[in-house]
Amino acid sequence: MGVRVQSEPICPGEELARMQGTGTRAGAMVCFVGMVRSGDRQPITSMTIEHYPGMTESAISAHVEKARGRWPLLDCRIVHRFGELLPGETIVMVAVQAAHRSDAFQAADFLMDYLKSRAPFWKQEQTPSGSRWVEANAEDENSLSRWNE
């Protein structure tokens, strides 16, 4: 199990290869890789992500423990970037191993819903017309509410 917040690019293949060597009990490994996007209606030129070192990792680790309490996870790895990122760059990777695929899919979804809405990151998008802070939207809140926390 591991949580990292880093400025360096994320290499999902390397992260998954490290997880595959953890034993033979896993029947499923689910990986989600999120990327910075720039929409046609609201294009961005970059995104800057800020966090408080130590506090952010601790908060995410606590949520991983909640996931472990809900599903029998064998391994979990979360890597999230900070600093300035460009559209198309990887911003986050969540990988989960479990004996069964249903547990792995649900746990990865649960963890991503938390990271999207509640993890202590501050995101600012730079656009051709200026900058704006990113806030959780109704869709993100609805996704989070299905876990009834």
Side-chain angles (χ1 to χ4, degrees):
M1 305 277 175
V3 172
R4 280 195 335 269
V5 178
Q6 63 188 40
S7 60
E8 299 82 17
I10 299 168
C11 183
E14 289 177 13
E15 299 292 339
L16 294 175
R18 285 187 205 114
M19 287 180 74
Q20 285 182 314
T22 61
T24 58
R25 295 184 6 222
M29 181 164 37
V30 169
C31 178
F32 172 83
V33 176
M35 298 168 291
V36 178
R37 71 172 167 252
S38 178
D40 292 334
R41 293 184 338 163
Q42 295 185 339
I44 69 165
T45 55
S46 67
M47 176 183 283
T48 302
I49 301 171
E50 300 176 2
H51 78 295
Y52 287 115
M55 182 186 87
T56 301
E57 293 87 346
S58 179
I60 296 170
S61 294
H63 206 71
V64 168
E65 289 307 310
K66 288 181 184 179
R68 291 182 72 198
R70 292 179 83 141
W71 297 279
L73 304 182
L74 300 172
D75 200 359
C76 177
R77 187 172 302 236
I78 296 175
V79 184
H80 202 295
R81 292 194 57 201
F82 70 92
E84 185 176 11
L85 291 98
L86 301 175
E89 287 190 278
T90 299
I91 190 173
V92 64
M93 186 196 95
V94 172
V96 176
Q97 276 187 341
H100 302 284
R101 73 174 183 261
S102 177
D103 292 332
F105 273 113
Q106 288 182 56
D109 205 16
F110 173 81
L111 291 165
M112 267 313 305
D113 282 344
Y114 167 77
L115 288 167
K116 183 80 171 147
S117 298
R118 294 290 188 273
F121 289 103
W122 295 268
K123 300 173 185 175
Q124 187 178 54
E125 295 176 336
Q126 288 72 43
T127 72
S129 60
S131 64
R132 63 180 173 251
W133 289 100
V134 177
E135 297 180 20
N137 58 42
E139 184 180 330
D140 295 337
E141 292 300 317
N142 285 338
S143 291
L144 188 63
S145 70
R146 67 191 159 127
W147 305 110
N148 296 320
E149 286 202 310

